[in-house]
Amino acid sequence: MAQQKGEVKEMINTRILTQEFDYFAPESIKQVVELLERHGEGARVIAGGTDLINQMKEEKMSPSCLVNIMNVKGLRYIKEDEGLRIGAATKLRDVRAYCFKSRYVALYEAISSLGKPQVWNMGTIGGNLCNASPAADTAPPLLVFKARVKLVGKDGERELLLEDFFTGVNSTVLQPTELMVEIHLDPPGDGAGNAFLKVARVGADISKVSCAVFLKRQGRTCTECRVALGAVAPVPMRVKVVEEMIEGREIEESLVAKASEIVSEEVKPIDDIRSSAEYRRQVAAVTFRDVFWKAWDRAIGGKN
Ligand SMILES: Cc1cc2nc3c(=O)[nH]c(=O)nc-3n(C[C@H](O)[C@H](O)[C@H](O)COP(=O)(O)OP(=O)(O)OC[C@H]3O[C@@H](n4cnc5c(N)ncnc54)[C@H](O)[C@@H]3O)c2cc1C
């Protein structure tokens, strides 16, 4: 029966795992790929399990085989090398700790707003991206840092921009035999500032709206600008018309106000249990404006 507007859909949560599945904990990327290939479409990578185990308890997903990647060597690291390289199975806790006081403060702010320490201790950055929630909090900052993701599968390795990775709600370009191994962020460069803000019903809740901005400034001129929002479209999205409108311009309140109106026109939100589409549209504009000014101040050494 179709759900009526305003009706709350009953959500199954068995709170136990009712399904049987095979379980493997390989130690190399090669073994992971072999297991995924051998067990076919029913196989699923598990990292921290903070999304997947809930989905199994809610009976949204019934994998016949779980391949745990947390013992795999070479998937958990953070290193500066032509920007920042993060192994996909690196825990949110470690990424957050690294990004505090780094030039990637928007990523620190995003993880700080994501769940609580228990979630940071279990969840991984790759899991947050591969789960492909429109509200994944690490996605907007990674999009504005022009992150690329490296995938490895039976046909070898490929690298693509994060903005080409998401294809829809909980859907990505990942093939059944592929896993994500690395996330690579561009170096910010001189005169850069970035920031992230999220609006949610309560602390530690999924976003109603989230926004990240990366920019560079020379005096009053913004020479580079990237804007990304979460929870306002089927996938985390860049707002390129706004970026083009701002780049190369002297920054004035009126320009940022106009840009924020365009943000609210560009987003494609829905009504759901967390918010209405109309509220999201309005809050997207305000959130963008606040994040922009934060990043703008930070580009000349401001802290707030
Ligand atoms: C209480 C609670 C609060 C939360 N709050 C938030 C929040 O505010 N914001 C938010 O964004 N998220 C939130 N989450 C969701 C969650 O913690 C994150 O999405 C987490 O980062 C997922 O990482 P994981 O390692 O646990 O992934 P898993 O659950 O292990 O995996 C998630 C999905 O990604 C796939 N996968 C994982 N790693 C890889 C890989 N390397 N290659 C290929 N596929 C892979 C799995 O097959 C699975 O489909 C919350 C979760 C909980 C339990």
Side-chain angles (χ1 to χ4, degrees), residues 103-105 145 187-195 213-226 246-247 249 251 292-302:
R103 295 175 302 160
Y104 303 93
V105 70
F145 290 127
D190 295 335
N194 59 85
V213 169
F214 170 91
L215 54 79
K216 284 190 185 175
R217 67 182 281 186
Q218 280 174 3
R220 297 294 311 162
T221 303
C222 183
T223 56
E224 203 175 317
C225 178
R226 288 189 289 279
I246 288 176
E247 274 183 3
R249 299 280 301 275
I251 296 304
F292 181 90
W293 286 120
K294 222 174 198 196
W296 182 248
D297 286 347
R298 284 178 176 167
I300 49 162

Side-chain angles (χ1 to χ4, degrees), residues 13 19 46 48 50 95 97 126 139 154 203 220 233 241 266 280 303:
N13 189 342
Q19 315 128 39
I46 182 163
T50 61
V95 181
K154 70 176 170 50
R220 297 294 311 162
V241 280
E266 287 293 306
R280 284 188 159 112
K303 291 273 179 284

Side-chain angles (χ1 to χ4, degrees), residues 44-55 61 69-70 75 88-89 92 110 113-116 119-120 122-133 135-138 151 165 174 178-181 198 204-207:
R44 201 86 206 176
V45 164
I46 182 163
T50 61
D51 279 319
L52 185 57
I53 295 292
N54 286 337
Q55 289 157 1
M61 204 170 276
I69 58 169
M70 295 311 281
L75 278 186
L92 293 167
S113 79
L114 185 167
K116 288 283 177 194
V119 179
W120 311 336
M122 292 298 292
T124 63
I125 188 160
N128 194 236
L129 298 176
C130 293
N131 184 58
S133 161
D137 282 320
T138 66
L151 312 179
F165 177 71
L174 267 176
E178 271 183 323
L179 78 153
M180 182 183 286
V181 295
K198 153 173 169 176
D205 193 17
I206 306 295
S207 300

